Amino acid sequence: MQGGLDTAAAAMTKPGEIAYADLEPFRVNGGLPTGFMATGVFNNGKPMGVLAFELSSEQLNGLLGSRLGLGETGETILVGSDHLLHNDSAFTAENDVLTTRYETPQVDAALAGEIQPVTRVSSYRDTAMLAVAAPVAFEGHNWALVATIAEAEALMPLVSMRNSILAGSAVVLALAVIFGLIFSRSVT
C-alpha cells in the first residue's frame, strides 16, 4: 500500500469508522490522482481486514462531467481545500486534476461552509463567467462544488427578451403615430 490507501486503511482500528483519503497521485494506478474510502471489517470485535473503495479522478469526471442544463459553456467542478480542481474541465486540452487552481471568494466561502450569491468571475478560462459554489464536506474533508457558465450565454435569454420588448414597443409606437396622424387629418 502507499499514500492515500495507507491513510484510508487506518480505519481498521474501530468498528463502524470510515476513513477517507483525498485525491493524490497513486503509483499503482499510473500516477492518476486517486482517493480512497475504507472501513475495518470485524468479527466479534476482532479485526479481520479492510474494505476499501477506490475513487479515481476519472470517476469524478464521470460524475461531474454532465453539462445538462449548463448550455454550451457551463460546467461543474470540484475544488479542494488547496484550491486545486479535483475533476478535469472539458474545456481544456490538458488534465486539470490537482494542477489547475480555482480561487474565488465564492470558493473560500464554500470551503468555510457558507454559500454566496452568483457572482461574475473573470479569472477562469479567460472569459467572463457567472459562478456559484456550494460546500461539500465528508469525513473531515471540505470541498467547493462550483457551477459556472459564460456570462454572455447565461444572459442571452434576457437580452433576447429585452430586444423583443423594444421591438414590440417600437411597433406599437409607430402604429400609434400613424393612427394619430390619420385621425388628426380627419378632424381638420
Side-chain angles (χ1 to χ4, degrees):
M1 289 190 279
Q2 74 166 31
L5 187 54
D6 287 338
T7 303
M12 195 169 136
T13 59
K14 294 180 188 168
E17 280 193 4
I18 296 174
Y20 177 75
D22 205 359
L23 294 181
E24 62 181 57
F26 187 49
R27 182 179 46 84
V28 176
N29 207 4
L32 192 68
T34 305
F36 291 93
M37 188 173 4
T39 188
V41 177
F42 294 83
N43 185 10
N44 294 326
K46 181 181 175 190
M48 302 302 288
V50 174
L51 175 65
F53 171 74
E54 174 186 291
L55 179 64
S56 71
S57 57
E58 305 244 326
Q59 290 168 310
L60 277 175
N61 291 339
L63 290 170
L64 298 173
S66 172
R67 294 183 19 231
L68 185 64
L70 294 173
E72 296 295 318
T73 62
E75 67 179 324
T76 53
I77 52 178
L78 188 65
V79 181
S81 57
D82 54 4
H83 291 91
L84 293 176
L85 296 188
H86 278 50
N87 66 304
D88 191 26
S89 172
F91 296 100
T92 58
E94 64 279 346
N95 189 339
D96 297 300
V97 180
L98 300 181
T99 60
T100 302
R101 296 188 71 75
Y102 189 93
E103 294 186 67
T104 66
Q106 295 90 340
V107 168
D108 291 334
L111 291 172
E114 304 165 6
I115 298 178
Q116 291 188 345
V118 175
T119 306
R120 185 174 194 262
V121 176
S122 58
S123 60
Y124 182 62
R125 291 184 5 210
D126 296 325
T127 187
M129 307 289 285
L130 295 180
V132 66
V136 177
F138 178 73
E139 292 298 318
H141 296 273
N142 296 309
W143 302 274
L145 181 61
V146 180
T148 184
I149 186 170
E151 184 177 32
E153 182 178 8
L155 298 179
M156 193 179 304
L158 292 175
V159 170
S160 177
M161 183 171 64
R162 178 204 63 196
N163 292 345
S164 295
I165 290 171
L166 288 175
S169 298
V171 168
V172 169
L173 181 62
L175 289 173
V177 168
I178 291 170
F179 286 128
L181 288 174
I182 292 172
F183 180 72
S184 67
R185 285 189 178 174
S186 67
V187 173
T188 56

